[in-house]
Amino acid sequence: MRLKIGELAKKAGLSVRALHHYDAIGLLSPSQRTDGGARLYGRDDLIRLHRIEALKRFGYSLPDIKANLDDQRAGVPLQFLQRQITELNAQASRAQRLSRHLQYIVDTIAADCEIAAPDWLNALELMNMYQKHLDDDELDGLLASGTDTMPPTDPSWTGLVDEVRVAVQQALPTVSDAAQALAWRWIRLVIRLTRNDPALATKLTMLQLGEPRAQQIVGITAEMLAWIDAAFTHARCELFARYLSPAQADEVRRRQFATAKNQAWPALVIELRAQMEAGVDASAAPVQAIVKRWQQLFPDSFCGDDAVLEARVRDALMREPDLQLGVGLDDSLLAYLHKAHIVGHDMTPVDAGPKPSALMVATQRAAHQLLDRPLVLDDPVALTVLGPAEAQALRDNIDRFRHPTSVGMRSSVIVRSRLADDVWAEAVERGIRQYVVLGAGLDTAAYRHPDTPARIFEVDLPATQEWKQTRLREAGIAVPPSLHFVPVDFERVGLAEGLARAGFDATAPAIFSWLGVTMYLDEAAVVDTLRFIAGCAKGSAVLFEYVMPLSSLPPIMRIAMEQLTAQFAERGEPWKSFFEPDVLAGILITLGFSHSNTWTPDELNQRYLANRADGLHIGATPARMVLATV
């Protein structure tokens, strides 16, 4: 069978011109020619043509078809087929994306039934600019929010843009309350639009600054963006000012405006988010390099080398959720950042006997003796009770205890111990002669006051007390005659029974100190212990610490506490009980306490840490100190 070119064209449903082109590019050449040069196509040629047309229907290009058909290697061309599948999928994705973009424009037009031709052409122009400045995923995410979240179609945006334009035209001071209110509204709309993605927010800003037509269509000018930036910086500084003196607030404001110009923070946040989304461990070198730059930028942005100001700024950041707005930090990134920050700064000793928390607290008391002046808690045996190895390790690694995480923890530890000393001293003056330390750990009250007229009862787990007494013997610390050890497991053995065995007089009043313990007990054990104390002689009292539910905390504080509690749980000391203040107050009344007093961190700071230059400051914390009196 031999077909002339016209016959083959008719049989295949192609034009003669197409077959000429196939011949010219070497895709399909006739196997024979007549003496006059006319093309003749045989059976093999027809089969090849069918294959060409089949591959064309699957979207292959003519060069790819030729390369495949000319390849004489045996077997199925899997790579060839897979490559085409990939290309077809990409084409489908592009088609779907284009469809979504067109649908967005349709929705934009449909949102205004009276839209004029220039308006929908403006929408087309904006779409073109979005495609120019954003990658496919960013544009998809932006459009997924819908037309009601984007300027110029969102009424919230259009109204706000008009208000800001008027404010700029009227030269409204960016420090004014009205300007700051506009800035907060603007930032919240940006967060909604970008889903708190700082990279996308930055690109949209650059689009607005770099595309004059975008400014005309949307109505947002470079001058307006600069005005919003200044107003927002003032608004953030006002939040910081709640926790600062006027001079400190001025310093933070000066530094915030200086660092806002170089856009260093957004770049760091973008880098950190990229590491998190790539699944890089927080302890990995690239993440730690970002953290190092973060730690270097922080003093430049807020406090310089002023330790007191740094503590106040960190406190504000923990307490004020709005300070996280507009900087691209969400809960997941905050958790990742906090985990990265504490790498190498875990204050919980690994080899800490039966209670890691006990040695951690004792180490912080000892660090206070070495680092802080004036002393809040004068503890001459703090280093000795650690033992030679731990004391030397503390001295060798003392810089770890200058880290803000450690300073904040140390502030809480020494203040609560000092408060307990003061409550005890006042009770002794009133004639009370029994002092009970519940969950004593490595508490040194009895050794700091060896000449006290009171009898001191240290209550703790049997294993912990054995561990402590071994440490005391190894350190050469004599047990004061006033001290009595009371081995009790709060969740198994009655406190009354244990104290009675040690000589506690239930008919005489006593002061109970219960610091850093309740969170490790279940609620029933906490209430049972409080019930026992409420049944003691009139005039008895308990100073104890409790923790509020973590779910009620601001984001940064909650995340930090969740990670801290996870560390303790891994080491065998999970936190079990949390109390709402009002609920706990009701429990105390029901149990029979006549009255109670609660100290907030701010009140304790004012009482013990005011006007210090070393940065000691109890920051935002869910812990509260309560003195309940029988």
Side-chain angles (χ1 to χ4, degrees):
M1 178 187 70
R2 291 287 183 267
L3 298 176
K4 293 181 180 180
I5 191 168
E7 295 171 331
L8 179 61
K10 183 176 181 180
K11 190 175 185 67
L14 297 172
S15 67
V16 171
R17 183 178 179 182
L19 292 176
H20 282 165
H21 178 63
Y22 287 178
D23 189 9
I25 64 175
L27 178 60
L28 178 66
S29 298
S31 55
Q32 291 184 5
R33 287 180 181 267
T34 65
D35 292 340
R39 297 173 176 85
L40 294 176
Y41 294 89
R43 181 175 179 277
D44 289 344
D45 298 329
L46 184 59
I47 292 173
R48 183 178 175 97
L49 180 58
H50 284 315
R51 290 175 176 172
I52 291 170
E53 293 306 302
L55 290 171
K56 280 176 60 181
R57 282 193 292 274
F58 281 105
Y60 286 99
S61 67
L62 295 182
D64 281 344
I65 294 172
K66 181 179 184 303
N68 179 260
L69 295 180
D70 289 347
D71 191 343
Q72 299 301 313
R73 290 175 297 177
V76 179
L78 292 178
Q79 291 183 344
F80 178 69
L81 295 174
Q82 187 60 52
R83 187 170 66 250
Q84 187 61 12
I85 290 172
T86 301
E87 175 59 26
L88 289 172
N89 288 337
Q91 290 177 11
S93 178
R94 287 193 292 271
Q96 291 174 354
R97 183 171 290 110
L98 178 59
S99 175
R100 288 195 295 271
H101 296 175
L102 292 174
Q103 186 62 52
Y104 170 80
I105 295 174
V106 169
D107 293 343
T108 301
I109 296 172
D112 187 351
C113 59
E114 298 181 358
I115 192 167
D119 295 324
W120 74 266
L121 290 174
N122 286 344
L124 284 174
E125 282 191 80
L126 275 178
M127 180 61 66
N128 185 58
M129 285 182 272
Y130 289 145
Q131 292 170 333
K132 175 182 175 182
H133 288 268
L134 308 180
D135 63 34
D136 290 339
D137 290 338
E138 289 169 335
L139 183 52
D140 283 349
L142 189 66
L143 300 185
S145 300
T147 60
D148 59 346
T149 65
M150 296 176 62
T153 54
D154 177 8
S156 299
W157 268 116
T158 53
L160 182 56
V161 168
D162 289 342
E163 290 182 63
V164 171
R165 183 185 303 109
V166 171
V168 172
Q169 291 171 348
Q170 295 179 349
L172 179 68
T174 54
V175 73
S176 67
D177 291 343
Q180 292 175 36
L182 289 174
W184 282 120
R185 287 169 55 195
W186 189 285
I187 292 303
R188 286 183 167 88
L189 285 180
V190 170
I191 291 171
R192 186 182 68 170
L193 174 65
T194 63
R195 301 181 182 182
N196 206 23
D197 182 345
L200 179 55
T202 299
K203 286 187 177 183
L204 289 176
T205 299
M206 297 309 296
L207 181 157
Q208 201 65 35
L209 292 173
E211 298 282 357
R213 275 295 291 154
Q215 296 181 22
Q216 294 172 3
I217 295 170
V218 179
I220 301 173
T221 66
E223 184 182 12
M224 291 166 63
L225 289 173
W227 188 90
I228 283 291
D229 282 345
F232 182 55
T233 302
H234 279 302
R236 284 172 51 83
C237 290
E238 287 301 316
L239 291 181
F240 282 115
R242 297 176 182 178
Y243 304 87
L244 309 175
S245 69
Q248 289 173 329
D250 288 343
E251 177 66 8
V252 168
R253 194 180 304 271
R254 182 186 69 80
R255 290 180 175 274
Q256 283 285 284
F257 272 95
T259 54
K261 296 177 181 178
N262 60 25
Q263 294 294 303
W265 281 115
L268 272 183
V269 172
I270 291 169
E271 287 184 53
L272 187 67
R273 184 175 293 279
Q275 296 291 326
M276 180 187 72
E277 292 178 347
V280 180
D281 190 89
S283 63
V287 180
Q288 289 302 303
I290 295 173
V291 169
K292 184 176 181 180
R293 288 161 53 202
W294 195 292
Q295 292 169 341
Q296 292 168 341
L297 185 59
F298 189 91
D300 290 342
S301 302
F302 295 105
C303 56
D305 58 0
D306 187 334
V308 174
L309 180 53
E310 179 180 3
R312 302 301 189 277
V313 167
R314 291 185 182 277
D315 191 20
L317 288 169
M318 292 284 278
R319 294 178 187 238
E320 293 288 347
D322 282 353
L323 285 173
Q324 311 314 316
L325 297 180
V327 294
L329 292 174
D330 54 22
D331 282 7
S332 60
L333 192 58
L334 283 170
Y336 186 70
L337 174 62
H338 186 265
K339 188 174 182 180
H341 266 301
I342 63 176
V343 170
H345 295 285
D346 182 3
M347 294 296 110
T348 308
V350 175
D351 184 16
K355 291 183 68 176
S357 59
L359 187 54
M360 178 193 72
V361 168
T363 303
Q364 289 290 358
R365 283 200 305 265
H368 175 55
Q369 311 305 308
L370 297 176
L371 291 175
D372 309 317
R373 292 295 181 274
L375 290 171
V376 177
L377 182 74
D378 190 356
D379 190 346
V381 299
L383 279 162
T384 309
V385 78
L386 291 179
E390 290 288 351
Q392 188 59 48
L394 170 61
R395 290 188 175 94
D396 292 343
N397 298 279
I398 196 65
D399 283 344
R400 291 177 58 201
F401 294 84
R402 293 188 174 96
H403 187 272
T405 300
S406 182
V407 173
M409 187 179 297
R410 182 163 70 255
S411 300
S412 295
V413 166
I414 61 175
V415 164
R416 74 187 188 190
S417 293
R418 172 62 185 275
L419 178 62
D421 278 5
D422 289 350
V423 168
W424 177 23
E426 292 169 3
V428 169
E429 290 183 1
R430 298 196 309 271
I432 294 178
R433 293 295 182 263
Q434 296 186 113
Y435 185 57
V436 182
V437 184
L438 301 175
L442 287 175
D443 185 85
T444 58
Y447 310 92
R448 297 196 304 272
H449 307 285
D451 299 325
T452 178
R455 289 187 299 163
I456 303 172
F457 300 88
E458 284 195 2
V459 182
D460 213 328
L461 295 168
T464 302
Q465 291 210 330
E466 182 179 349
W467 168 66
K468 178 177 183 176
Q469 291 179 62
T470 299
R471 280 183 168 270
L472 293 172
R473 287 193 298 271
E474 291 174 349
I477 300 176
V479 177
S482 59
L483 177 59
H484 304 269
F485 290 104
V486 185
V488 168
D489 184 339
F490 285 104
E491 296 178 336
R492 295 183 181 179
V493 178
L495 178 59
E497 179 183 350
L499 284 172
R501 291 175 182 173
F504 179 79
D505 183 358
T507 65
I511 298 298
F512 292 79
S513 172
W514 202 14
L515 308 180
V517 179
T518 63
M519 62 286 294
Y520 298 106
L521 306 176
D522 60 41
E523 184 174 332
V526 173
V527 173
D528 284 347
T529 301
L530 290 172
R531 181 179 292 110
F532 165 76
I533 297 171
C536 290
K538 186 175 179 59
S540 296
V542 56
L543 176 69
F544 68 100
E545 183 180 28
Y546 75 94
V547 175
M548 296 184 293
L550 303 188
S551 60
S552 65
L553 306 178
I556 293 186
M557 193 195 311
R558 172 177 51 77
I559 289 166
M561 294 306 302
E562 286 173 348
Q563 293 187 351
L564 178 65
T565 57
Q567 289 177 2
F568 279 115
E570 289 174 0
R571 297 184 180 183
E573 292 186 291
W575 286 19
K576 299 179 181 179
S577 67
F578 305 86
F579 293 92
E580 292 283 1
D582 292 345
V583 173
L584 180 60
I587 291 173
L588 294 175
I589 292 172
T590 301
L591 292 176
F593 288 96
S594 63
H595 61 277
S596 62
N597 180 57
T598 299
W599 286 274
T600 66
D602 289 340
E603 290 168 336
L604 293 173
N605 281 326
Q606 185 61 36
R607 179 167 177 170
Y608 293 111
L609 302 177
N611 302 317
R612 294 186 66 91
D614 54 10
L616 285 183
H617 180 80
I618 303 174
T621 172
R624 294 292 182 268
M625 299 295 301
V626 178
L627 179 65
T629 303
V630 178

